[in-house]
Amino acid sequence: MPIELFAMERMQSTWENVVDYDMSESGVRPLTLRELVAMGFDLEEFLDQPLGYSQSNGTIELRQRIAALYPGASADQVEVTNGTSEANYLIALSQLRSGDGFAMEAPNYMQMPGVARSLGADVRTFRLRQDTGWEPDWDELERAVTPHTQLLYLSNPNNPTGSVLSDEAMARIVKRCEATGAWLLSDEVYLGAEIDRPRTKTFWGMSDRVIVTSGLSKAYGIPGVRIGWIVAPKGLTEACWTQHDYLTIGPNKMSDRIARVAVMKKNREKCYARTRKILKQNLPIAREWVESFGGRLTWREPEAGAIGLLKYSGGTPSVEIAERIRAKQSTLIVPGSHVGLEGHLRIWLGGTEEFLREGLRRIGKELKQL
Ligand SMILES: Cc1ncc(COP(=O)(O)O)c(C=O)c1O
């Protein structure tokens, strides 16, 4: 089946390097290799590294270090991928067949519904509700996750709301997956990007129906090396490896090496601390800006991630607003329709103070005219 356009990614690829202010991002401004050298990355040794193929499922050393982040996991349960997006894709390829049920919370990062539909799956969504602090609508969840469901996808912390599921909500979702036999795919790429709250809990270990994907792109602030991973029961990891052999063979050898340094516990904590510092500085700036609209623009502040989801009043389609801001202010934002929630706009909170202030000023100039 032909695959539909991934609207948000295509909009970003088209404009993000053309506009003056790319406010459509969702991770913090990235680290440099120099910063990784300061964390112990051996640049001299790197220069002599032969640029051959790497181990296709990730080097043993990297998989061991990733497994150490997930209690009870072993290296053979880990598949290293080209970003979290490839990790998600491999799970869909290996698990979904035509006619299978696929459930997903919305709003969300909208990679998976497009992939699932292209494989012939029947996609059902359940809402996260702003009025209950972005908890799932439980009636909708029960209708979406049935014995017919092969896979449930969620992101926690969630893109685009920046919300984190409560312990009770996590337990309830796991229970539903166990009762129906669905796999629970928890995309945890924002775990570690909490702004002012305790570390998000992983779903890993809550049930043998749980699969976790993650990567270096968001909480770590290292998207350019394109390293992600899958942690799953062994048979499922192996099925993903089989797909991987056909798709890209494996991750980039240089990236594998960089990732080995980044995921070491002490370095991971440094990356997370850097992310938290940036977001703590930027959140009050964004808060003040939202307040300047006197209630015409509202939000529930993000708990994690460099993203703010704004609700605007009036019925103008979000794509129209985003397009107007891009054309008139050379500033890119994400329309809510691209993340499964019309009537909203997603903005980036991870830039330098100067960048954030100017980006917000430009967005505000157009919004105030609406
Ligand atoms: C929830 C979620 N998963 C995956 C991705 C893609 O991540 P990566 O760059 O690691 O492929 C994104 C990017 O925005 C995301 O928000």
Side-chain angles (χ1 to χ4, degrees):
M1 217 175 278
I3 195 158
E4 63 206 58
L5 203 69
F6 189 168
M8 184 186 79
E9 288 293 343
R10 179 55 59 89
M11 181 206 72
Q12 288 181 307
S13 316
T14 308
W15 296 113
E16 66 193 350
N17 295 309
V18 177
V19 294
D20 294 341
Y21 284 81
D22 177 16
M23 294 283 286
S24 74
E25 266 297 326
S26 58
V28 289
R29 56 181 183 270
L31 262 82
T32 61
L33 196 53
R34 196 179 295 284
E35 286 174 276
L36 285 164
V37 168
M39 292 182 200
F41 182 75
D42 189 338
L43 193 56
E44 271 308 308
E45 200 194 20
F46 192 57
L47 294 176
D48 292 324
Q49 169 92 13
L51 298 176
Y53 283 107
S54 188
Q55 183 160 343
S56 70
N57 56 338
T59 56
I60 295 172
E61 202 179 348
L62 177 55
R63 283 184 293 118
Q64 280 173 339
R65 288 183 187 178
I66 292 169
L69 307 175
Y70 299 92
S74 57
D76 57 6
Q77 291 178 275
V78 176
E79 180 77 13
V80 180
T81 58
N82 293 282
T84 316
S85 42
E86 191 184 52
N88 292 336
Y89 210 125
L90 293 178
I91 292 160
L93 282 176
S94 67
Q95 299 308 311
L96 293 177
R97 298 288 166 269
S98 186
D100 281 348
F102 172 82
M104 190 189 74
E105 58 172 23
N108 214 329
Y109 180 62
M110 299 303 268
Q111 172 195 17
M112 289 298 266
V115 176
R117 271 191 287 268
S118 78
L119 295 168
D122 167 26
V123 175
R124 295 188 192 178
T125 56
F126 56 93
R127 268 178 309 154
L128 296 180
R129 298 178 54 144
Q130 183 164 13
D131 57 349
T132 58
W134 297 118
E135 283 245 324
D137 181 308
W138 297 109
D139 290 338
E140 289 185 14
L141 182 134
E142 298 216 343
R143 282 197 295 275
V145 185
T146 69
H148 167 67
T149 308
Q150 173 68 358
L151 191 62
L152 186 168
Y153 171 76
L154 55 81
S155 53
N156 191 46
N158 173 263
N159 172 10
T161 61
S163 61
V164 177
L165 291 167
S166 65
D167 292 356
E168 296 72 35
M170 288 174 75
R172 202 162 163 181
I173 293 169
V174 168
K175 201 168 156 210
R176 185 67 185 164
C177 288
E178 287 187 328
T180 57
W183 286 108
L184 168 57
L185 167 52
S186 174
D187 179 334
E188 300 180 355
V189 71
Y190 292 93
L191 186 152
E194 297 78 18
I195 304 172
D196 207 4
R197 52 154 288 136
R199 182 78 41 89
T200 304
K201 288 189 183 149
T202 176
F203 272 96
W204 180 254
M206 289 181 74
S207 160
D208 57 10
R209 301 307 294 167
V210 167
I211 308 164
V212 169
T213 55
S214 190
L216 299 184
S217 301
K218 308 295 176 187
Y220 284 86
I222 319 177
V225 303
R226 310 302 303 129
I227 288 285
W229 54 81
I230 298 165
V231 189
K234 197 160 171 278
L236 199 141
T237 304
E238 277 171 6
C240 291
W241 189 4
T242 302
Q243 294 290 344
H244 209 180
D245 287 339
Y246 281 103
L247 191 66
T248 53
I249 304 180
N252 173 312
K253 187 169 185 171
M254 293 181 284
S255 298
D256 187 296
R257 217 174 170 85
I258 292 170
R260 270 182 254 167
V261 174
V263 300
M264 289 168 75
K265 194 162 187 290
K266 67 174 192 320
N267 293 338
R268 180 186 63 151
E269 291 305 325
K270 280 185 193 157
C271 293
Y272 287 175
R274 173 184 177 276
T275 295
R276 185 187 308 263
K277 187 169 170 220
I278 292 172
L279 296 178
K280 275 190 132 172
Q281 276 168 359
N282 285 352
L283 189 59
I285 298 169
R287 182 183 298 139
E288 197 183 310
W289 177 81
V290 171
E291 281 165 4
S292 76
F293 286 83
R296 280 176 301 142
L297 203 59
T298 56
W299 70 345
R300 188 173 184 275
E301 291 188 6
E303 295 175 86
I307 36 189
L309 188 65
L310 312 166
K311 185 169 197 263
Y312 59 87
S313 47
T316 315
S318 54
V319 169
E320 253 176 53
I321 299 178
E323 177 54 18
R324 176 181 167 139
I325 293 169
R326 184 198 63 74
K328 295 203 161 187
Q329 298 295 332
S330 191
T331 299
L332 196 65
I333 62 168
V334 175
S337 62
H338 285 187
V339 287
L341 194 61
E342 189 45 286
H344 291 70
L345 303 167
R346 195 192 78 184
I347 56 163
W348 185 45
L349 306 179
T352 60
E353 179 176 338
E354 200 188 356
F355 190 97
L356 177 67
R357 284 191 189 279
E358 178 58 14
L360 292 178
R361 190 192 67 74
R362 289 176 181 225
I363 297 165
K365 195 165 174 207
E366 292 308 313
L367 291 183
K368 281 183 177 150
Q369 284 176 28
L370 278 175

